[in-house]
Amino acid sequence: EPEVTQTPSHQVTQMGQEVILRCVPISNHLYFYWYRQILGQKVEFLVSFYNNEISEKSEIFDDQFSVERPDGSNFTLKIRSTKLEDSAMYFCASSTNNGELFFGEGSRLTVL
Amino acid sequence: AQKVTQAQTEISVVEKEDVTLDCVYETRDTTYYLFWYKQPPSGELVFLIRRNSFDEQNEISGRYSWNFQKSTSSFNFTITASQVVDSAVYFCALGGPNDYKLSFGAGTTVTVRA
């Protein structure tokens, strides 16, 4: 069964460092998303991406964040200068136009 | 604004008991989508169901069933004859008509004891 894959599964970084989280969405999907979940809290929307541009972003998604689809398969989330409060599980998701989101297994980011 | 409320923070049951998870939502959209996801201890989010606002038929999938009541803005989820493997956090989520940005509830932790 096709699935969304994310790498790395866990990354530890120092505050102020840049981090790139990678995602390979399901191949025929057109919409891509990043969500995050701070430990023990609800899952929160960060950004949606369609047709090579951001379609919507939340207030969490500030200038420190960026997304990119550098080739036909990868979808990346970059955090330019990580803060302690960026520590969370980051989920990539993708969907067709039927709105059925499939999530990856998540990338746990720990900022020290 | 969209809002999802899962009033039950934790539920603990003994194996084979039924468990019902409540979900109440708020939206101004006339077309919207409701979801349930399971998050086992390993952390991934597992899609369980998606229901659009025009389809109020209840659905059953194996031991899982869903009761959508538009009149009370509720989309409740029942696990029948629970098993230890059902232990997880369950999230209800709401999506709008033209985008698929989901608003998640706070989640309900279900613990099934042998």
Side-chain angles (χ1 to χ4, degrees):
Chain A
E1 186 173 323
E3 59 182 16
V4 176
T5 57
Q6 291 185 239
T7 54
S9 56
H10 188 194
Q11 181 155 356
V12 180
T13 190
Q14 294 291 326
M15 193 168 54
Q17 294 295 305
E18 177 183 282
V19 161
I20 297 177
L21 305 178
R22 291 184 167 80
C23 170
V24 179
I26 295 173
S27 61
N28 64 336
H29 285 187
L30 303 174
Y31 299 83
F32 314 113
Y33 314 85
W34 283 100
Y35 285 75
R36 81 168 185 193
Q37 184 184 31
I38 295 172
L39 186 63
Q41 298 186 22
K42 68 167 69 174
V43 180
E44 302 172 291
F45 169 79
L46 289 179
V47 65
S48 59
F49 191 87
Y50 171 71
N51 202 24
N52 283 320
E53 61 182 22
I54 291 173
S55 48
E56 188 164 354
K57 59 183 180 180
S58 71
E59 59 272 14
I60 303 168
F61 194 87
D62 61 22
D63 292 344
Q64 294 296 319
F65 291 90
S66 63
V67 288
E68 196 177 32
R69 188 155 160 84
D71 52 43
S73 59
N74 290 287
F75 178 52
T76 61
L77 173 69
K78 182 192 290 187
I79 309 174
R80 187 147 40 97
S81 177
T82 50
K83 305 187 284 284
L84 294 176
E85 54 265 38
D86 293 328
S87 295
M89 182 78 97
Y90 288 83
F91 290 101
C92 175
S94 69
S95 70
T96 61
N97 59 2
N98 73 356
E100 196 169 295
L101 267 70
F102 288 88
F103 285 84
E105 294 193 346
S107 293
R108 181 169 297 284
L109 175 65
T110 302
V111 182
L112 303 176
Chain B
Q2 298 186 323
K3 184 179 176 184
V4 176
T5 302
Q6 294 181 253
Q8 304 146 307
T9 308
E10 293 183 35
I11 299 176
S12 181
V13 296
V14 176
E15 221 173 5
K16 297 183 184 172
E17 285 184 3
D18 297 348
V19 56
T20 295
L21 310 180
D22 298 333
C23 173
V24 174
Y25 61 92
E26 294 175 31
T27 180
R28 292 187 187 145
D29 295 319
T30 53
T31 301
Y32 52 88
Y33 298 89
L34 295 160
F35 301 77
W36 277 95
Y37 285 88
K38 174 183 179 180
Q39 187 175 44
S42 48
E44 71 270 27
L45 285 169
V46 179
F47 170 85
L48 296 179
I49 191 170
R50 172 181 176 267
R51 169 71 72 230
N52 79 53
S53 52
F54 296 107
D55 183 1
E56 287 194 70
Q57 277 199 335
N58 292 331
E59 180 156 340
I60 298 175
S61 176
R63 295 184 297 107
Y64 295 166
S65 61
W66 291 270
N67 183 354
F68 178 25
Q69 300 269 354
K70 209 167 176 179
S71 59
T72 56
S73 298
S74 65
F75 186 46
N76 297 338
F77 171 36
T78 298
I79 304 172
T80 303
S82 60
Q83 300 175 1
V84 172
V85 293
D86 296 327
S87 296
V89 182
Y90 291 85
F91 290 97
C92 180
L94 170 66
N98 296 317
D99 61 66
Y100 308 112
K101 178 182 79 171
L102 301 186
S103 298
F104 280 78
T108 299
T109 301
V110 173
T111 303
V112 182
R113 308 185 308 276

